[in-house]
Amino acid sequence: MDFIELAQDFLKHSGSRLYPAGFLTRMRYISDLYLDDSKRPQSVTSPMYLTDLGVRKFADPETIFVSVVGENLLETKEFAEPLYSISINELAKFLDGYILFTGDYSTAANVIHARKEDIVKKNDYRLYLYSAMILAAVEDVESLNYFDKAYDVAESIQDELSAKHRKSVACVKRFNLFDSALDILDEIRVLANKNVIVADTTNPISTKAFLALADNLQAFIHLKLNEHDSALKYILSASTQCRQVIKNENITPEFARYYVQVALNKAELFVKMKAFDDAYSEYKDNIDFCSIYCHEYLSEAYAIGSIGLFRMNKYMQALNWSTIAINLICREASPRRLKVARKIRVACLCKMNILDLANKDAELIDKDPLGYTLLES
């Protein structure tokens, strides 16, 4: 049985079984991958893992897969067979569906290496970008070449900037190539400043958003190097760029994602610098922003905010925020974020000497990674 057949089987026999949030929506998409008009669900329960800003290897889809299906199927040769046999014209869509279902980046990377000649002949931006993201997730330096290829064939300034930005992130977070990343960030600034990008209905994002992303990543680099003054300079610049976009009311879902990332990094820097009042204000403003403009990121705002509050010794408020985050996340599809929020809640309960409840909550973290018990309560 391959992964598409398994998705189809789930739909046939779903019955009254309890599944993680959005699971059957994912199955419907994956079961229809062979159809020309299959539509990709884009929601908090069906994330676009292969366009992630952080170029991360997400554990969430694999956690969900193992909890619902088990590990054995991933080890069979036939399970990923469609990735090897599908037309190269459809490979990007199939890679996205496979990662969404399984989180098995290693097998997807093997497919990319096996079909490299076909991928290069296809010379397609999305296929290059997805290939780069998958290879970067498994820390394969060949990913950097694929980011370059994506940039070379990009047909819009937005796609050019996206390819360069994600390559710079990969250099920092996957390969520790800080100098290379800084060079790419300079290239992004030159490219962005040369082009005034007019918002349209297909990809409404402004130059300032990419300038903010460049400054945000440079702040992260300085933070990694414990250069807090330089980090503050760049994160404040990134925040200013974001606020200028907001002032112009150009708030799109994609920009909202960028704004949230900048705000959370800014708050984290304030915590490291022990500027706790500034950190709290930033966390609170970010929650307010998400409540108005991007509710899908509200759980993340509360979860990460609760971590910051805990580090500030504000245990009661950290407990409140982590509990709100948990109640939101259990209706999404992020077991990793759910685990973090639950751990913060348990840590707060321990600090407040509410040990019986802390022990009860702690036992469920590993026993119930998908939060079924939370949905039932």
Side-chain angles (χ1 to χ4, degrees):
M1 178 180 289
D2 65 43
F3 73 98
I4 296 176
E5 291 169 338
L6 180 60
Q8 293 167 342
D9 191 63
F10 271 117
L11 292 177
K12 288 179 183 177
H13 303 100
S14 58
S16 59
R17 179 179 173 181
L18 187 62
Y19 290 107
F23 183 78
L24 293 180
T25 299
R26 296 186 187 201
M27 295 306 98
R28 279 188 286 273
Y29 169 64
I30 292 161
S31 69
D32 290 343
L33 280 175
Y34 284 112
L35 302 179
D36 291 338
D37 60 348
S38 60
K39 293 183 179 179
R40 173 63 154 93
Q42 295 189 43
S43 68
V44 72
T45 59
S46 297
M48 292 291 297
Y49 294 120
L50 298 186
T51 60
D52 175 52
L53 283 176
V55 195
R56 290 169 287 182
K57 180 181 181 181
F58 283 88
D60 287 343
E62 185 175 7
T63 300
I64 294 170
F65 184 89
V66 170
S67 296
V68 175
V69 181
E71 295 183 85
N72 293 338
L73 276 174
L74 287 177
E75 299 170 0
T76 64
K77 184 177 180 180
E78 64 184 350
F79 190 67
E81 192 280 333
L83 299 180
Y84 290 94
S85 60
I86 192 64
S87 163
I88 197 66
N89 295 331
E90 302 295 326
L91 181 57
K93 181 172 70 170
F94 274 63
L95 287 170
D96 169 56
Y98 185 75
I99 294 297
L100 180 67
F101 191 5
T102 69
D104 180 12
Y105 288 83
S106 296
T107 294
N110 290 338
V111 170
I112 292 163
H113 286 304
R115 304 196 66 179
K116 179 177 180 179
E117 184 176 344
D118 290 337
I119 292 171
V120 173
K121 284 182 180 178
K122 174 62 177 169
N123 211 32
D124 175 72
Y125 175 83
R126 185 168 70 135
L127 183 53
Y128 279 144
L129 185 67
Y130 286 6
S131 298
M133 296 287 282
I134 289 167
L135 293 178
V138 297
E139 299 182 356
D140 186 333
V141 74
E142 179 69 11
S143 64
L144 302 183
N145 292 329
Y146 279 94
F147 281 121
D148 287 339
K149 291 179 184 297
Y151 171 79
D152 289 341
V153 300
E155 295 182 353
S156 71
I157 183 64
Q158 295 95 332
D159 286 345
E160 289 181 353
L161 289 166
S162 292
K164 280 194 173 292
H165 172 257
R166 282 159 178 79
K167 181 183 178 183
S168 64
V169 173
C171 285
V172 173
K173 296 189 176 182
R174 302 277 76 84
F175 307 114
N176 291 319
L177 299 173
F178 291 172
D179 289 341
S180 296
L182 290 171
D183 289 341
I184 298 168
L185 293 180
D186 286 340
E187 293 171 8
I188 289 173
R189 292 184 181 104
V190 170
L191 186 60
N193 281 318
K194 280 183 178 178
N195 292 271
V196 177
I197 304 172
V198 179
D200 58 40
T201 56
T202 58
N203 195 355
I205 184 167
S206 75
T207 304
K208 289 189 183 301
F210 279 105
L211 293 173
L213 286 176
D215 287 346
N216 180 62
L217 184 59
Q218 184 145 354
F220 180 84
I221 293 171
H222 289 300
L223 191 59
K224 292 275 283 187
L225 298 173
N226 290 317
E227 299 169 353
H228 289 179
D229 288 343
S230 294
L232 181 62
K233 169 189 170 184
Y234 281 99
I235 201 67
L236 290 176
S237 175
S239 182
T240 298
Q241 301 278 9
C242 286
R243 292 184 185 281
Q244 287 175 355
V245 175
I246 291 175
K247 189 180 293 185
N248 294 329
E249 298 183 355
N250 186 22
I251 302 175
T252 65
E254 191 170 6
F255 171 74
R257 178 171 58 153
Y258 301 163
Y259 177 91
V260 169
Q261 189 61 59
V262 170
L264 291 174
N265 288 346
K266 184 179 177 184
E268 181 182 356
L269 178 58
F270 284 145
V271 172
K272 285 182 178 292
M273 298 175 68
K274 300 190 183 303
F276 293 150
D277 289 343
D278 290 332
Y280 175 76
S281 294
E282 199 65 38
Y283 285 130
K284 185 65 172 63
D285 288 348
N286 190 45
I287 287 170
D288 293 341
F289 177 86
C290 291
S291 297
I292 297 170
Y293 296 109
C294 52
H295 198 268
E296 62 268 32
Y297 301 118
L298 187 58
S299 64
E300 180 183 35
Y302 274 114
I304 296 181
S306 70
I307 297 172
L309 288 174
F310 182 84
R311 290 164 63 191
M312 297 180 216
N313 301 324
K314 297 179 181 290
Y315 303 126
M316 177 59 78
Q317 191 157 7
L319 175 64
N320 291 337
W321 282 14
S322 63
T323 302
I324 293 171
I326 289 167
N327 289 333
L328 291 169
I329 297 167
C330 70
R331 290 167 176 77
E332 299 172 355
S334 182
R336 178 194 59 81
R337 192 182 301 160
L338 180 61
K339 186 174 185 177
V340 170
R342 289 166 116 179
K343 283 185 171 183
I344 289 295
R345 175 178 159 83
V346 168
C348 291
L349 290 169
C350 289
K351 288 289 187 179
M352 298 166 67
N353 205 34
I354 310 175
L355 300 182
D356 287 346
L357 185 54
N359 289 330
K360 179 182 176 182
D361 283 10
E363 288 177 1
L364 290 173
I365 291 176
D366 292 322
K367 286 183 180 179
D368 178 32
L370 302 183
Y372 288 143
T373 53
L374 299 169
L375 290 171
E376 293 168 353
S377 61

